[in-house]
Amino acid sequence: VRLLERRPDIKLLFLVGSCPSEVIKLDLHRAAERLSRRFSPSVRVLNYSGSGIETTFTQGEDACLASLVPELPAKKAAGASLLVVGALADVVEDQFARLFADMGMDDVQFLPARRAQDLPSVGPGTRYLLAQPFLATTARALEQRGAARIPAPYPLGVEGTTLWLKAAASAMGASAFDVERVTAAPRARASLSVKRRGAALAGKRVFFFPDSQLEIPLARFLSRELGAALVEIGTPFLHRPHLAEELALLPAGAAISEGQDVDRQLDRCRAARPDIVVCGLGLANPLEAEGMTTKWSIELMFTPIQGYDQAGDLAE
């Protein structure tokens, strides 16, 4: 209350559940309702869980965006519109917006919006494109509002970004000629970047522990664009409809494990002795002590490999 009284510029406030707040059963949902009644309509107060007690940490973003969906205004204009769903760095969002505009797609919005007062509209005619693979709850909420998903791989690396853009263009009626014209130059720059910086990973054997739901797209990128060998791809959840296009791009016979059977996964990892282990921080220290090289999956995701101009920086 004191924060909102001191900061009249705040228009949207999230109460985020943490591990301690959920352990002591702090009811943030009711707190959000009370604050909303008190400060509405000038301030919207929403809540979601970002604790990771019963979820992967990336599902905090999913919960946040899902809490926004009921607040989105109803779509009024007739015809199709494109909604890109998933948090992106401003520079990546700007790049995608330019590419879409150059392809002739003008009605493109992003969720989350940069400003609380600029929430995108949604309804029948909205086609949404997931930018992250862990947004199942948000996707379900959007479909309940009448939106339809565009099936596509995720925009990681040159290949993923190209297929992602092509899927959007096809769904929105953009011509294949315009897609090729607009993406040719950035695609060439990105391919050079991948070739230059990816040599260090060629032939490296990689083992993924389940951690973030980013594992399948990252494995596809490492394998197909950087030449890494996939020992095992562990993932906490495998949403097959949302990952169908990614699964189709993995090498035949790729070993995929779903769930958290850490002891058995550690046994398989130690037996395989991979060159790189992608895992959460809880496993990184003991594995490093055993002489293994580790990388956190979210580090790979936040390394700027989304979009074209940044593709390939993963290898640094």
Side-chain angles (χ1 to χ4, degrees):
V1 173
R2 289 195 295 270
L3 171 65
L4 293 176
E5 290 174 343
R6 291 198 309 269
R7 293 285 306 278
D9 56 307
I10 293 176
K11 303 301 178 185
L12 176 62
L13 178 67
F14 290 102
L15 304 183
V16 184
S18 62
C19 295
S21 71
E22 295 196 1
V23 168
I24 65 175
K25 306 300 182 184
L26 185 63
D27 195 338
L28 293 179
H29 178 70
R30 289 188 179 181
E33 289 182 336
R34 289 196 301 270
L35 289 170
S36 290
R37 286 195 298 268
R38 177 168 176 177
F39 291 97
S40 179
S42 56
V43 181
R44 296 194 303 275
V45 183
L46 307 176
N47 79 287
Y48 68 90
S49 170
S51 72
I53 287 180
E54 297 177 351
T55 66
T56 61
F57 64 92
T58 49
Q59 285 182 272
E61 179 179 332
D62 189 19
C64 176
L65 297 184
S67 73
L68 277 173
V69 173
E71 305 294 315
L72 302 182
K75 185 176 183 293
K76 296 179 180 179
S81 61
L82 177 64
L83 178 64
V84 178
V85 182
L88 299 168
D90 286 355
V91 63
V92 177
E93 180 180 317
D94 289 341
Q95 182 187 69
F96 284 151
R98 288 195 303 271
L99 291 170
F100 287 132
D102 289 344
M103 292 178 197
M105 291 182 277
D106 298 322
D107 194 355
V108 180
Q109 301 179 91
F110 292 83
L111 179 68
R114 293 192 186 181
R115 298 191 302 173
Q117 58 268 41
D118 295 334
L119 290 177
S121 59
V122 66
T126 299
R127 304 296 305 275
Y128 73 90
L129 185 64
L130 293 177
Q132 313 291 5
F134 44 76
L135 300 176
T137 304
T138 303
R140 186 165 56 250
L142 287 168
E143 288 168 9
Q144 290 171 349
R145 295 284 308 269
R149 184 175 65 90
I150 299 173
Y154 293 88
L156 296 172
V158 185
E159 180 182 42
T161 300
T162 301
L163 293 174
W164 188 79
L165 290 167
K166 284 184 175 180
S170 176
M172 301 303 293
S175 72
F177 173 82
D178 283 336
V179 174
E180 178 63 28
R181 173 183 57 81
V182 170
T183 63
R187 194 169 68 240
R189 290 195 301 271
S191 295
L192 285 174
S193 180
V194 168
K195 182 178 180 180
R196 182 174 66 251
R197 298 170 179 173
L201 288 172
K204 299 295 185 183
R205 300 169 65 249
V206 184
F207 190 106
F208 284 85
F209 277 90
D211 181 49
S212 62
Q213 300 184 68
L214 300 168
E215 294 83 10
I216 301 294
L218 286 172
R220 180 264 303 162
F221 174 60
L222 288 173
S223 171
R224 293 174 66 90
E225 299 194 50
L226 298 177
L230 305 176
V231 178
E232 180 173 323
I233 311 166
T235 186
F237 304 108
L238 184 57
H239 195 303
R240 289 189 178 274
H242 286 185
L243 288 166
E245 289 71 29
E246 290 283 358
L247 292 170
L249 294 172
L250 290 177
I256 301 174
S257 61
E258 180 182 13
Q260 301 276 4
D261 194 339
V262 176
D263 288 337
R264 291 185 178 181
Q265 290 158 348
L266 281 170
D267 289 343
R268 294 196 296 271
C269 181
R270 286 167 174 147
R273 299 301 299 183
D275 298 297
I276 301 170
V277 179
V278 182
C279 62
L281 298 181
L283 294 177
N285 286 342
L287 291 175
E288 290 275 355
E290 295 178 21
M292 297 191 196
T293 300
T294 67
K295 191 75 172 177
W296 191 22
S297 61
I298 202 67
E299 288 182 272
L300 304 186
M301 185 65 177
F302 281 118
T303 301
I305 57 175
Q306 281 189 302
Y308 281 134
D309 291 335
Q310 295 81 21
D313 291 341
L314 174 62
E316 291 191 331

